[in-house]
Amino acid sequence: MDELFTPPVDRWNPAVAGGLAGRDEVVYRSHLVGADPALTKEGGGNFSVKDVAVDRGGRSVEVLYMSAWGCDGATTTPDDFPALRLADLLRLRDSGPLSESEMIGHLVDSGLRGEQRQPGIETLTHAFIPARHVDHCHPDAVIALTASPGGRRAAEDEFGEEAIWFDYRQFDVGVARELADRIAGEPRCRFVLLANHGIFTWADSSERCYRNSLEAVERATRALRKAQCRPADLGGQAVRPPPPEAAEDLLAELLPAVRGALSGAGRGVVLHLDRSPEAVGFASSVRGPGWTQAGPGCPDHLVTVGYRPLVLDRTPAGPAEVLAAIRRHRDWYDTYYARYVTGPARALGKRGNGPRAVVLPGLGAVSCGPDAAKARLCADHLAQTMTVIRAADAAGGYLSLSEAQGAADEYWPLMRLKPQLRAGQEPLAGVVFLVAADDGRADAVAERLASAGAHVALAAPPGRRAAAVAAAAAISGRYGERRAVPLVRDTDRGAVRQAVLAYGGFDAVVEPVARVSPAAGGGGLARAALPVFARQGRPASILLLGEGGGGEGGEEPSAPGPAGDRRPRADGLAGGGAAVHTVVATDPEAVARAAIFLTGSGGTTWLDTTLVAVSRTPETTTTTRGNP
């Protein structure tokens, strides 16, 4: 059973922790827990310490430093731990009925300073537990134990009076009070096992609190091992995966269609492809894919994956099968929403009805998000559900949230406010570019596009591989996870295929016009991209970088000659499903501004360039726009 879980790693460093006090103690501990995927996933769980602070009047006051709602434990700073007056929180322990809005109002009013971030929904539980340090996290092993049919008995046998089992409920003041009462009534209790959710641990020292979480995972794993009643293979293989090369060829055909179907009318999505042995094995198993329809491994997954992913029953032969399945998922989601989401919960509007993750037998899993980081988090959450299902199935089955419970949490106003749901507001958020990275100017263009919110695939010839890797790393370090990826352009078709596997597709190609001219052999990324654009079925652009003067000396680039004199160089592109534009400029900033104008917010202006816009009609006409 141990191979089902990556065990947590004890990262406690006495030399570091020994010099910390108060809020710094909990920041350090949150980094250890948040960075260990065996304990929790990004943005999951919360952490606290009770301490003394000085208010604006210079008075010492007891406070609860509580991690803010939705922050990532691995990267927290002191600002992520608002200080709340502990006495104000404790007054709610026996204050009578309290609505959710009243509870939130009290949490905000208890803040030591008005400019603080909003604390998490489990704040009152942290306050009511009479220990200095409290943690809540989502370990795979604990969730799997509580999601298995005999999990409660197995937990009682392993933990005895040291743990409280708490059936799944949405957190409110009633949950906080009940947990506090039960902990007070069990003097030996050191853990709360939250069914289908995770754990609470606590102690009077930060180190002991951390080690309690490690111990809980070890003991939950031991309990699952004792409860195992069948092989941990989900019934064995139901679908034989195709050879790796054939699988990637099929995915290169499928992913643009999936990306097009899941993108909104205005903004695209970024896809994350999980081809790990674990994902392919799960997707190809007898029981695994079906279990995912029973609900998520943890309620946090409702933010990213939703109640359930889309599951196909075989390896698809082509895009048509996947698109038909997406339509069926949309019908299911509409019914789910109509049946379970009540009037008040509809106030923030209906979420999209498309799947946020797709399980493809023989191929693995595909997840989506408004950017690469959120698509990867969706993949992480789906992977956690897969791990939980595999372990629970070996112990006899899998129990999760009902559709009614899932809908209540998915449309809970507090859940809708999680940062993981927020899409970028930059002009090019959701837009993916494929850029021919022939020289350093292309790298500069890519950086400028990323600064406007885009994702960029840098297709470099073999001789510029190292430069493209360095440029992509610098861009991602500055603007966010996988905002740029390096590709080797041995062939144009190969580079296009790599870009599709990296992001699911792309919306625009930026390439020197000479590379797609008949004189260049009729090749180029732009021509190789046309089938991708056709499968996506959404607006696409080709930006051809024409030769121009000026740039360094401040001269204007030379304008094209008579209208249409560049038409032969775009021959075969117009009418291919993309708007074709020629940008005559040498300055990377000018090129990027033109790209933002053409593919982002229409109000953006550009400098130092002349733009030739070629329509997509078969009768190609050419218009010229100069500097604004």
Side-chain angles (χ1 to χ4, degrees):
M1 180 65 72
D2 287 352
E3 72 277 3
L4 291 178
F5 306 112
T6 301
V9 178
D10 186 344
R11 295 181 170 88
W12 190 267
N13 186 338
V16 175
L20 303 176
R23 181 160 53 179
D24 292 338
E25 291 181 275
V26 71
V27 170
Y28 174 68
R29 191 173 72 251
S30 80
H31 289 173
L32 301 186
V33 176
D36 193 334
L39 292 176
T40 204
K41 297 298 183 282
E42 179 185 328
N46 36 69
F47 318 91
S48 71
V49 63
K50 299 175 179 75
D51 201 48
V52 175
V54 177
D55 66 14
R56 293 189 185 279
R59 297 177 293 269
S60 294
V61 57
E62 284 190 285
V63 297
L64 176 76
Y65 286 115
M66 176 71 195
S67 56
W69 181 226
C71 70
D72 179 23
T75 60
T76 54
T77 69
D79 288 342
D80 291 316
F81 287 85
L84 312 174
R85 293 182 182 86
L86 186 58
D88 290 353
L89 300 177
L90 294 178
R91 272 195 286 272
L92 302 180
R93 178 73 171 78
D94 301 299
S95 63
L98 205 63
S99 70
E100 182 176 288
S101 61
E102 289 172 328
M103 178 184 76
I104 297 301
H106 278 288
L107 295 183
V108 173
D109 290 344
S110 71
L112 198 63
R113 292 175 175 81
E115 68 275 12
Q116 298 179 138
R117 293 187 60 189
Q118 183 170 309
I121 57 173
E122 290 94 348
T123 296
L124 292 180
T125 303
H126 284 250
F128 296 167
I129 292 176
R132 187 161 180 264
H133 297 270
V134 181
D135 283 351
H136 163 55
C137 56
H138 306 151
D140 296 351
V142 173
I143 297 173
L145 176 63
T146 63
S148 60
R152 184 163 191 163
R153 175 173 293 180
E156 289 172 352
D157 290 344
E158 173 60 39
F159 289 91
E161 296 178 352
E162 292 183 279
I164 289 170
W165 177 287
F166 195 83
D167 287 328
Y168 183 80
R169 276 166 55 189
Q170 194 177 82
F171 265 84
D172 58 14
V173 68
V175 168
R177 290 168 176 167
E178 183 176 338
L179 282 174
D181 288 343
R182 293 183 62 183
I183 291 169
E186 298 284 350
R188 295 189 61 207
C189 178
R190 296 192 292 126
F191 315 96
V192 171
L193 306 179
L194 301 162
N196 302 107
H197 191 169
I199 56 172
F200 273 103
T201 59
W202 58 89
D204 285 329
S205 76
S206 186
E207 180 179 3
R208 185 68 259 167
C209 185
Y210 174 65
R211 295 197 184 282
N212 281 349
S213 295
L214 299 179
E215 180 184 338
V217 173
E218 178 185 357
R219 294 175 70 171
T221 302
R222 186 161 62 230
L224 279 165
R225 187 188 303 116
K226 293 176 181 176
Q228 183 173 351
C229 60
R230 58 186 175 188
D233 62 358
L234 293 165
Q237 190 180 85
V239 174
R240 184 176 181 179
E245 188 70 20
E248 290 193 356
D249 287 342
L250 179 55
L251 285 163
E253 184 180 354
L254 298 176
L255 294 181
V258 172
R259 181 172 184 263
L262 300 187
S263 293
R267 297 200 170 190
V269 295
V270 174
L271 301 188
H272 181 101
L273 174 62
D274 186 352
R275 287 271 297 147
S276 67
E278 294 79 11
V280 175
F282 183 95
S284 306
S285 67
V286 172
R287 292 190 295 270
W291 277 131
T292 67
Q293 306 304 281
C298 177
D300 263 20
H301 303 180
L302 294 164
V303 175
T304 52
V305 181
Y307 180 73
R308 68 189 195 191
L310 168 63
V311 170
L312 275 72
D313 57 7
R314 65 176 187 176
T315 304
E321 289 183 49
V322 182
L323 295 178
I326 290 173
R327 289 192 291 272
R328 291 194 296 272
H329 183 96
R330 292 186 187 278
D331 291 341
W332 164 79
Y333 190 91
D334 289 342
T335 301
Y336 159 88
Y337 179 83
R339 182 175 297 161
Y340 298 115
V341 181
T342 60
R346 298 186 180 193
L348 293 176
K350 183 180 179 181
R351 300 183 70 190
N353 61 4
R356 301 174 192 101
V358 183
V359 177
L360 300 170
L363 300 175
V366 178
S367 303
C368 77
D371 58 43
K374 293 182 178 66
R376 188 266 310 147
L377 180 59
C378 181
D380 286 351
H381 283 170
L382 180 60
Q384 183 177 43
T385 292
M386 291 178 180
T387 299
V388 166
I389 285 174
R390 187 177 174 216
D393 178 82
Y398 173 62
L399 305 173
S400 185
L401 311 184
S402 67
E403 286 191 355
Q405 288 172 315
D409 267 7
E410 183 178 356
Y411 282 88
W412 187 16
L414 290 178
M415 189 74 83
R416 297 288 299 273
L417 295 176
K418 272 217 163 186
Q420 289 83 354
L421 282 174
R422 299 173 192 163
Q425 300 302 311
E426 304 96 330
L428 296 182
V431 180
V432 179
F433 283 83
L434 174 58
V435 176
D438 293 335
D439 54 37
R441 288 179 299 178
D443 299 343
V445 169
E447 176 163 359
R448 181 64 179 85
L449 295 174
S451 75
H455 292 71
V456 185
L458 282 165
R464 287 203 78 245
R465 166 67 177 172
V469 169
I475 291 169
S476 295
R478 192 170 293 118
Y479 300 109
E481 181 179 329
R482 296 186 70 243
R483 284 305 172 112
V485 296
L487 314 175
V488 175
R489 196 181 67 227
D490 291 319
T491 66
D492 293 318
R493 289 183 63 187
V496 166
R497 184 173 180 269
Q498 292 173 61
V500 168
L501 295 175
Y503 291 127
F506 44 85
D507 304 285
V509 173
V510 180
E511 184 173 27
V513 69
R515 291 198 72 254
V516 297
S517 68
L525 294 172
R527 282 192 174 82
L530 293 179
V532 174
F533 292 150
R535 292 185 188 112
Q536 285 182 154
R538 52 184 281 105
S541 299
I542 295 171
L543 279 70
L544 302 178
L545 307 184
E547 304 87 347
E552 295 182 6
E555 299 176 7
E556 295 289 337
S558 56
D565 70 347
R566 292 191 183 272
R567 191 180 310 169
R569 296 196 175 192
D571 191 28
L573 295 180
V580 183
H581 312 281
T582 301
V583 178
V584 183
T586 57
D587 176 40
E589 173 69 13
V591 173
R593 285 178 178 268
I596 294 170
F597 176 84
L598 291 165
T599 59
S601 64
T604 302
T605 60
W606 66 94
L607 302 173
D608 302 326
T609 184
T610 298
L611 173 70
V612 181
V614 185
S615 78
R616 68 176 69 187
T617 62
E619 298 78 18
T620 302
T621 58
T622 305
T623 59
T624 301
R625 294 184 63 175
N627 296 332

